[in-house]
Amino acid sequence: MFEFMNITKALADENRVRILMALNGQGELCVCQLIDMLKLAPSTVSKHLFILRNARLVNGRKEGRWMYYRLNTDEASSIVTGALEWIIRSVDEAPSIRQDDERLSEILSEPTALRCGS
């Protein structure tokens, strides 16, 4: 029950769903890219990522000064996998998700070092 409750809490915020959809579309993104896409303060994005990670919906890895996140599809339980599949099916065509995809295309056209600072 604890895992289920963490997942439902994590999915109860539009920005966290947007993060999940961005990671689904791109595979892996740097925190600075997510900050630019969401147009939120770094501390706010970090809090969202903490909640998603706590619910085991995403995994993170550190590379130098940068932190990268991706969907947790490797070691996820069936409840996590099911939740991710449901979210992707449910909101894939939402206008805000399409706008995020367009914004991410712009963001990803620049080298990470330029966007995030070297």
Side-chain angles (χ1 to χ4, degrees):
M1 189 65 124
F2 180 75
E3 185 177 30
F4 173 78
M5 295 309 297
N6 274 341
I7 291 170
T8 56
K9 288 177 189 176
L11 298 178
D13 182 271
E14 179 181 354
N15 288 313
R16 291 193 286 270
V17 172
R18 290 172 63 200
I19 290 170
L20 292 173
M21 292 304 293
L23 295 174
N24 179 63
Q26 298 301 323
E28 183 176 72
L29 291 168
C30 179
V31 172
C32 64
Q33 294 166 327
L34 292 168
I35 290 167
D36 282 352
M37 181 195 81
L38 295 167
K39 298 180 182 169
L40 295 173
S43 60
T44 303
V45 175
S46 291
K47 179 68 175 173
H48 286 311
L49 289 165
F50 173 81
I51 293 167
L52 290 170
R53 196 171 187 173
N54 192 46
R56 298 187 181 119
L57 293 167
V58 299
N59 288 327
R61 70 174 179 85
K62 189 165 177 76
E63 185 176 304
R65 293 178 20 197
W66 301 325
M67 191 71 182
Y68 291 85
Y69 285 89
R70 61 183 167 78
L71 294 180
N72 180 14
T73 55
D74 300 335
E75 58 214 39
S77 68
S78 61
I79 192 167
V80 168
T81 304
L84 289 171
E85 290 171 356
W86 177 67
I87 286 294
I88 292 164
R89 276 193 323 269
S90 299
V91 299
D92 190 45
E93 296 301 320
S96 61
I97 300 303
R98 296 292 124 229
Q99 290 172 349
D100 287 346
D101 288 344
E102 291 172 16
R103 177 78 180 123
L104 271 175
S105 292
E106 293 172 22
I107 292 167
L108 295 172
S109 69
E110 295 179 22
T112 304
L114 287 176
R115 184 157 295 279
C116 300
S118 45

